Amino acid sequence: MLLKNLTSVSLLNTKKSFRSKDEVITYLIKQLMAEGKLHSEEEFYQAVMDRESLSPTGFEGGLAIPHGKSSAVKEAVFAVATLEKPIGDWESIDPNNQVELVILLAIPKEEEGSTHLSLLSELVTRLSNEEYKKNLLHAQTNQELYDRLDQTNEAEETQPAEPVQQPNKTVLAITACPAGIAHTYMAAESLVKAGKELGIRVLVEKQGANGIEDRFTKGQLQEADAVVFAVDVAVKDEERFKHLPKVKTSVADPLRNAKSILQKALIKAENQPKHAPATQTVEDDDHEEQKSVKTEIKDSLLTGISYIIPIIVAGGMTLAAAVFISQAFGLQEIYDTEGSWLWLLRQLGGTLLGQLMIPILAAYMAYSIADKPALGPGFAAGVAANLIGSGFLGGMLGGLLAGYFLKYLKQTVKPKGTFAGFVSFWFYPVIGTLVVGSIMLFVVGKPLAFVNEGLIEWLQGMSGANAIILGAVIGAMVSFDLGGPVNKAAYTFCIGAMASGNIVPYAVFASVKMVSAFSVTGATIIGKKYFTKQEQEVGKQTWLLGLAGITEGAIPFMINDPLRVIPSLIAGSAVAGAIVAYFDIGLNVPGAGIFSLALLQGNSLLLAASVWLGAALIGAFISMVLLILTRKYKKNDITEKKAA
């Protein structure tokens, strides 16, 4: 690939001075706009910032490659700046990286899987050569920089290669990063380069944005002596490598310590049989590189979130559709009639949210920690969480419990010899399920039931107290765990109060159920730059779920950052609940959602509806502001720590 074909002299800059990352990116984008490469400067800037929020675009050795894929780009192009004074606070995989070479890629949306990856791969390959990178940095003029883009080290190419000993060792490697682009390819290049220097054969399978590239053949898997997992996400089809000694590390580590990583792999190959029988699992956990507990828990939560998001969206929208149809067309009787088409639609959505979501969350959290043997116990932990009514917090606890118990089992009881199959396919799942399930049901469940009963009694004791306080408490409980035991305690109290003739608590409950969903949508739209692309996509759906009184849409946000999200949602919900209770608005029909407006009771239907919906919107606004502010401060803290 000729890099000159994708840029021009006017898009190259040498020895420029900038104070920040944002200043560099803004400057280069303005150049692209001036050269007629963009439809919209603002839209492309947002695309670049969205990418920045996913993972660092700074690497090591002074390099940064920010990039954006957007329909605002007319044609694939890149701009370059070499810096007079390095920027030290650019988020990089090497915390000490001092950025002095910035390459901004602009890719049309329709070319994100082709030109984007080809160009990035080419740049990564060339920039892995220190001489090539130095030539770019030392260019004194834009024209000189342009001329050097496609220059290779001719002397190195024409000089006869020194005889190298035929490699007698083969190491396989998997590279994968969350975005599946830059780090994936740079780590692969570093490992291959280090392998050549060590005189060993290194083959790399890249599990990136285009799926699995350079997938290992059966022959390569048989011939290999060891495997390196340089990944920040779960390895796809990991069972292919069960016969090989493993080294596990982050995707960034090979950029700094590629030789050391390969040497560890060779040492393991010496101490472990090369080709174990197919029935034997050679996952020697005693020798695997261990993640910190904090990192392992974080990866586990992110894995669980990624698997439940489709369930939440599909189940929530299906249930919302059933609610809307029943209330908009007066089909409440059909909605409540067991076996009817609308009842079945309601059950489908409700089952996805109420029965499947928590087991899937728990199972894949456990899978992230202890691989496939933890799936069965993880699902069991999630089912147990449903049985004891512990909500997603119980599911998270169950997932971590299953993951770490199975990890302990794998270290303690290894599948060897005749009983290898028995251990892998019977002992792990059965013992794991019995132990984890029993802990969830009989240890966690009883205290949880006690707490639940205590909360209900506490609310009953408050029922004669100041209405504002009672409304605020109910509101806070509704959004504390989004369908968990605290939420259910509030619901049980409100239903009981309704049966006793007090219809105000349920009106509070129904209004507050919209707050979390509305606030998440608002935060991801107004504070878009503070949220990941995945969070933005989820946020687009949650307001619809809120209209149907479905709180589960906010669960991925709460799982990912509970210490900030929970207080933010509680604050707005408490205010909404207090407003509804203060105006003595009532609702004597179970249900929630926007169609409850027509069923409200108060001084007048118009006033009651206005206050009830207005309270939800005010509460959502408060929570939205807090969600944005806490996320902003979180990002600032991360930046300051990196700078320090």
Side-chain angles (χ1 to χ4, degrees):
M1 174 185 286
L2 287 175
L3 297 180
K4 290 180 180 178
N5 292 341
L6 294 171
T7 190
S8 64
V9 175
S10 57
L11 292 174
L12 307 183
N13 306 269
T14 54
K15 307 303 178 183
K16 290 286 184 180
S17 294
F18 299 101
R19 291 171 295 180
S20 66
K21 174 181 79 171
D22 190 72
E23 194 174 315
V24 182
I25 291 173
T26 301
Y27 178 84
L28 294 178
I29 289 176
K30 286 185 181 297
Q31 282 193 320
L32 292 171
M33 189 68 185
E35 288 295 304
K37 303 297 184 182
L38 305 175
H39 293 294
S40 168
E41 184 178 326
E42 294 76 16
E43 189 177 337
F44 180 62
Y45 174 82
Q46 188 59 55
V48 174
M49 289 299 104
D50 286 345
R51 174 58 187 85
E52 289 294 311
S53 69
L54 292 176
S55 60
T57 55
F59 298 98
E60 64 167 4
L63 176 64
I65 309 180
H67 43 283
K69 298 164 286 184
S70 171
S71 55
V73 180
K74 295 180 181 179
E75 60 181 271
V77 64
F78 67 90
V80 181
T82 62
L83 309 185
E84 187 74 41
K85 182 181 178 182
I87 296 175
D89 60 353
W90 196 303
E91 295 86 351
S92 303
I93 55 175
D94 178 1
N96 301 315
N97 189 32
Q98 299 288 314
V99 173
E100 52 185 345
L101 173 60
V102 180
I103 303 175
L104 173 66
L105 310 188
I107 308 295
K109 190 69 175 174
E110 61 272 15
E111 296 182 38
E112 62 179 331
S114 53
T115 307
H116 182 205
L117 296 183
S118 299
L119 175 57
L120 194 53
S121 179
E122 184 69 22
L123 284 169
V124 165
T125 302
R126 296 193 189 193
L127 291 165
S128 297
N129 184 323
E130 285 297 320
E131 286 302 315
Y132 176 81
K133 186 168 64 177
K134 285 179 182 177
N135 281 340
L136 298 186
L137 286 170
H138 293 160
Q140 298 300 312
T141 66
N142 297 356
Q143 183 64 51
E144 189 177 351
L145 179 58
Y146 181 76
D147 293 337
R148 293 182 179 186
L149 283 175
D150 290 308
Q151 283 183 358
T152 55
N153 193 334
E154 295 179 5
E156 195 174 276
E157 288 183 355
T158 56
Q159 187 176 358
E162 295 182 10
V164 179
Q165 174 181 334
Q166 186 68 24
N168 60 356
K169 294 288 184 181
T170 298
V171 175
L172 306 182
I174 298 286
T175 60
C177 64
I181 305 174
H183 302 152
T184 299
Y185 294 93
M186 293 193 81
E189 190 68 25
S190 296
L191 288 167
V192 171
K193 182 179 178 182
K196 291 178 180 177
E197 294 175 3
L198 292 172
I200 62 176
R201 185 184 181 212
V202 176
L203 303 174
V204 184
E205 177 178 293
K206 296 171 280 292
Q207 298 188 356
N210 270 353
I212 297 179
E213 297 180 58
D214 303 320
R215 188 183 183 96
F216 298 129
T217 65
K218 187 176 180 180
Q220 290 169 338
L221 289 166
Q222 291 175 342
E223 294 169 6
D225 297 283
V227 64
V228 171
F229 292 157
V231 298
D232 286 341
V233 295
V235 175
K236 297 172 183 174
D237 300 334
E238 186 175 348
E239 61 273 10
R240 292 176 292 159
F241 309 99
K242 64 183 180 181
H243 64 292
L244 294 173
K246 299 173 183 65
V247 171
K248 291 188 175 182
T249 186
S250 70
V251 72
D253 209 22
L255 302 184
R256 300 184 292 268
N257 308 305
K259 285 186 180 180
S260 174
I261 292 168
L262 293 176
Q263 287 167 343
K264 286 181 183 178
L266 292 176
I267 292 171
K268 288 191 176 183
E270 292 294 328
N271 297 328
Q272 210 168 304
K274 180 178 178 182
H275 293 296
T279 56
Q280 183 176 352
T281 300
V282 193
E283 287 190 11
D284 194 346
D285 289 327
D286 291 336
H287 296 289
E288 287 186 1
E289 304 300 314
Q290 298 296 318
K291 296 179 181 178
S292 69
V293 173
K294 181 180 178 181
T295 300
E296 195 164 49
I297 291 175
K298 178 184 175 183
D299 290 349
S300 172
L301 290 174
L302 291 175
T303 300
I305 290 171
S306 70
Y307 278 96
I308 65 166
I309 283 175
I311 305 301
I312 290 174
V313 174
M317 295 306 296
T318 301
L319 184 56
V323 172
F324 288 158
I325 292 170
S326 68
Q327 298 189 6
F329 298 100
L331 302 177
Q332 190 66 40
E333 186 176 346
I334 297 177
Y335 180 82
D336 293 329
T337 302
E338 185 173 346
S340 69
W341 66 273
L342 200 50
W343 183 87
L344 291 172
L345 194 63
R346 165 192 174 187
Q347 293 302 308
L348 176 61
T351 300
L352 286 170
L353 288 179
Q355 300 300 319
L356 281 183
M357 180 181 69
I358 301 303
I360 288 173
L361 170 66
Y364 283 98
M365 284 181 63
Y367 170 77
S368 176
I369 295 170
D371 300 320
K372 191 179 290 185
L375 275 175
F379 274 113
V383 171
N386 281 340
L387 291 173
I388 63 176
S390 62
F392 81 89
L393 292 174
M396 289 168 60
L397 173 63
L400 293 173
L401 182 63
Y404 282 110
F405 182 70
L406 262 294
K407 189 174 184 179
Y408 167 76
L409 275 188
K410 288 170 64 183
Q411 292 171 340
T412 307
V413 182
K414 299 185 183 298
K416 295 180 180 178
T418 306
F419 293 99
F422 171 80
V423 171
S424 296
F425 299 107
W426 193 93
F427 183 80
Y428 286 160
V430 173
I431 300 301
T433 296
L434 288 173
V435 171
V436 174
S438 297
I439 292 173
M440 290 294 294
L441 292 172
F442 307 119
V443 178
V444 177
K446 288 185 177 180
L448 195 64
F450 177 77
V451 170
N452 209 36
E453 291 170 5
L455 286 171
I456 295 171
E457 290 178 5
W458 178 56
L459 283 172
Q460 288 172 340
M462 287 185 64
S463 59
N466 187 294
I468 295 177
I469 297 175
L470 180 60
V473 170
I474 293 173
M477 291 176 68
V478 169
S479 293
F480 176 77
D481 54 0
L482 303 177
V486 177
N487 175 290
K488 283 184 170 61
Y491 174 75
T492 302
F493 167 77
C494 293
I495 289 292
M498 182 190 296
S500 302
N502 185 356
I503 59 176
V504 172
Y506 198 88
V508 171
F509 181 83
S511 177
V512 172
K513 286 199 79 177
M514 297 186 285
V515 170
S516 59
F518 288 173
S519 64
V520 163
T521 295
T524 54
I525 293 174
I526 295 174
K528 185 177 181 180
K529 63 181 178 180
Y530 300 116
F531 297 89
T532 66
K533 200 72 176 175
Q534 185 183 58
E535 288 172 330
Q536 292 171 30
E537 291 302 316
V538 174
K540 291 176 183 177
Q541 319 290 331
T542 55
W543 71 275
L544 286 170
L545 302 184
L547 288 177
I550 298 169
T551 61
E552 281 81 359
I555 285 178
F557 294 82
M558 192 173 278
I559 293 175
N560 197 25
D561 195 9
L563 295 180
R564 292 176 177 82
V565 173
I566 291 176
S568 299
L569 297 183
I570 285 177
S573 299
V575 171
I579 293 172
V580 174
Y582 175 78
F583 283 92
D584 199 31
I585 297 168
L587 183 63
N588 62 358
V589 178
I594 200 68
F595 289 100
S596 296
L597 280 170
L599 305 172
L600 295 169
Q601 297 185 23
N603 292 329
S604 72
L605 179 59
L606 180 60
L607 177 62
S610 300
V611 172
W612 184 82
L613 181 58
L617 295 176
I618 290 170
F621 177 79
I622 293 170
S623 292
M624 176 193 74
V625 171
L626 292 174
L627 286 172
I628 294 173
L629 289 177
T630 53
R631 181 60 67 92
K632 179 182 178 181
Y633 290 144
K634 177 185 178 182
K635 291 206 168 190
N636 288 343
D637 286 344
I638 293 172
T639 302
E640 288 172 6
K641 287 178 182 177
K642 286 186 176 180

